[in-house]
């Protein structure tokens, strides 16, 4: 996962977890959304309207969460593609569709991370809308973010690990 | 042929129903969780059920176990569609009475293949 933006504590997140999340994000967008993601350099950061953020937490031998952030237009684009609608027809479906994509990404991440005999659970998706939304976990946690392009829309995916179970 | 789609995500229900309609199965109905699904099936039985695993109220395996315990509904074929991909998860689902299993993310063709295989058993 080269070019990933990392926090000061990102070294706490093992590289294989970051690679799993990257591969899963590409797979979910290519197979389910049918709008492939293209990884883009994070530096310099691209300014875009961060209007919607979806989060699903996981708990097992690790705890943490995966968040996805994009613009309202990006979320409409994802929703239209998932539901085989025109972007102009999309309305109230955005929250559920955006949440479902984050749910699929986190659920697949959980499945890759779980070892035999372990139990990992994930929460229901939480979707927030607003302006200039930021994923800025407080304190001493591992945080890795990766930026992608879906056509012309920016999609940022964050992995925050609050406990590595060490 | 009536197919009940059970998922707390209206998006996932719509994706599955769109695929069913493309296959010519127009008679579909939906439920947002296992309890609602059991109520719906008791009122009007379906010929097949497609269900998620992670849902409020009852998990997918709990819903399927409850379904299998109802004599009139026990034999309805069930396809589980979920991100739960570990071998242990598949075993739990099969023990609960799931007939087939599809892991998300899936391609439209993979969903079609699973649905057609299960519908052909009917």
């Amino acid at each position: 996962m080269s070019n990933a933006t990392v926090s000061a504590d990102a070294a706490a997140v093992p590289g294989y977890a970051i690679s799993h999340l990257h591969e899963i994000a590409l797979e979910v967008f290519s197979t389910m959304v049918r709008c492939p993601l293209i990884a883009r350099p994070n530096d310099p950061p691209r300014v875009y309207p961060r209007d919607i953020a979806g989060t699903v937490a996981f708990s097992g031998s690790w705890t943490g969460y995966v968040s996805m952030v994009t613009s309202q237009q990006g979320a409409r684009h994802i929703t239209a593609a998932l539901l085989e609608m025109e972007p102009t027809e999309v309305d109230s479906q955005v929250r559920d569709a955006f949440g479902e994509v984050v749910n699929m990404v986190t659920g697949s991440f959980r499945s890759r991370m779980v070892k035999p005999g372990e139990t990992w659970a994930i929460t229901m998706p939480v979707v927030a809308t607003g302006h200039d939304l930021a994923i800025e976990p407080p304190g001493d946690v591992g945080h890795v973010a990766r930026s992608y392009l879906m056509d012309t829309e920016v999609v940022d995916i964050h992995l925050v690990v609050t406990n590595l179970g060490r | 042929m009536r197919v009940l789609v059970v998922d707390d995500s209206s998006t996932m229900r719509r994706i599955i129903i769109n695929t069913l309609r493309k296959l010519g199965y127009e008679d579909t109905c939906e439920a947002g969780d296992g309890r609602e699904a059991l109520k719906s099936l008791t009122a009007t039985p379906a010929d097949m059920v497609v269900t998620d695993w992670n849902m409020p109220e009852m998990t997918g395996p709990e819903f399927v176990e409850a379904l299998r315990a109802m004599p009139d509904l026990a034999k309805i074929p069930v396809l589980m569609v979920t991100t739960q991909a570990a071998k242990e998860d598949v075993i739990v689902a099969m023990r609960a009475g799931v007939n087939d299993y599809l892991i998300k993310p899936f391609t439209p063709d993979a969903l079609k293949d699973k649905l057609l295989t299960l519908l052909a058993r009917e």
Side-chain angles (χ1 to χ4, degrees):
Chain A
M1 205 164 164
S2 59
N3 295 326
T5 296
V6 292
S7 73
D9 296 308
V13 183
Y16 65 87
I18 302 168
S19 296
H20 283 334
L21 187 62
H22 174 62
E23 289 164 12
I24 289 162
L26 297 184
E27 189 185 0
V28 167
F29 274 78
S30 65
T31 58
M32 296 296 298
V33 183
R34 283 164 282 170
C35 286
L37 288 182
I38 297 168
R40 58 173 294 273
N42 286 324
D43 197 16
R46 181 161 161 175
V47 176
Y48 72 98
R50 291 173 170 81
D51 300 326
I52 183 164
T55 297
V56 173
F58 55 82
S59 174
S61 55
W62 296 13
T63 55
Y65 53 92
V66 173
S67 292
M68 189 166 83
V69 183
T70 190
S71 63
Q72 194 56 239
Q73 196 168 319
R76 292 175 79 87
H77 190 124
I78 289 168
T79 306
L82 263 179
L83 299 179
E84 299 179 80
M85 298 167 75
E86 291 300 321
T88 50
E89 295 176 313
V90 169
D91 185 21
S92 60
Q93 304 91 343
V94 171
R95 274 178 176 268
D96 189 83
F98 195 70
E100 180 57 28
V101 174
V102 186
N103 186 51
M104 275 190 273
V105 170
T106 314
S108 300
F109 176 72
R110 180 262 322 270
S111 290
R112 289 264 192 113
M113 295 298 295
V114 68
K115 296 189 181 90
E118 288 181 355
T119 303
W120 284 52
I122 60 171
T123 62
M124 298 290 167
V126 174
V127 176
T129 54
H131 298 290
D132 295 329
L133 297 172
I135 306 299
E136 292 174 346
D140 183 23
V141 299
H143 178 199
V144 182
R146 179 93 200 223
S147 193
Y148 299 89
L149 276 180
M150 180 189 61
D151 292 338
T152 57
E153 300 297 331
V154 178
V155 177
D156 288 337
I157 298 180
H158 298 251
L159 171 62
V160 177
V161 180
T162 54
N163 186 339
L164 276 166
R166 287 172 180 159
Chain B
M1 172 71 72
R2 184 169 185 262
V3 183
L4 172 66
V5 180
V6 190
D7 200 307
D8 56 315
S9 164
S10 59
T11 300
M12 196 48 64
R13 296 199 302 268
R14 170 91 182 243
I15 290 169
I16 293 166
I17 287 171
N18 281 349
T19 304
L20 282 163
R21 289 190 174 153
K22 282 180 196 163
L23 293 173
Y25 297 98
E26 295 284 339
D27 188 5
T28 58
C29 48
E30 351 179 354
D33 60 58
R35 285 192 204 290
E36 196 185 324
L38 290 171
K39 254 188 214 170
S40 167
L41 288 167
T42 306
T44 316
D47 301 292
M48 181 176 163
V49 172
V50 181
T51 184
D52 184 23
W53 181 308
N54 290 301
M55 295 182 288
E57 301 290 332
M58 299 173 100
T59 65
E62 286 168 350
F63 157 60
V64 178
E65 271 179 13
L67 183 69
R68 296 299 183 228
M70 299 168 81
D72 293 345
L73 304 173
K75 291 190 175 164
I76 298 175
V78 177
L79 171 65
M80 182 163 279
V81 181
T82 175
T83 58
Q84 304 254 166
K87 198 184 285 181
E88 288 90 341
D89 296 330
V90 180
I91 293 167
V92 167
M94 293 300 180
R95 282 192 181 145
V98 166
N99 298 88
D100 210 343
Y101 202 87
L102 178 63
I103 293 163
K104 291 191 270 188
F106 54 79
T107 61
D109 284 344
L111 177 58
K112 268 184 215 168
D113 288 347
K114 290 285 184 184
L115 290 168
L116 288 174
T117 303
L118 208 49
L119 291 165
R121 289 186 204 165
E122 272 296 274

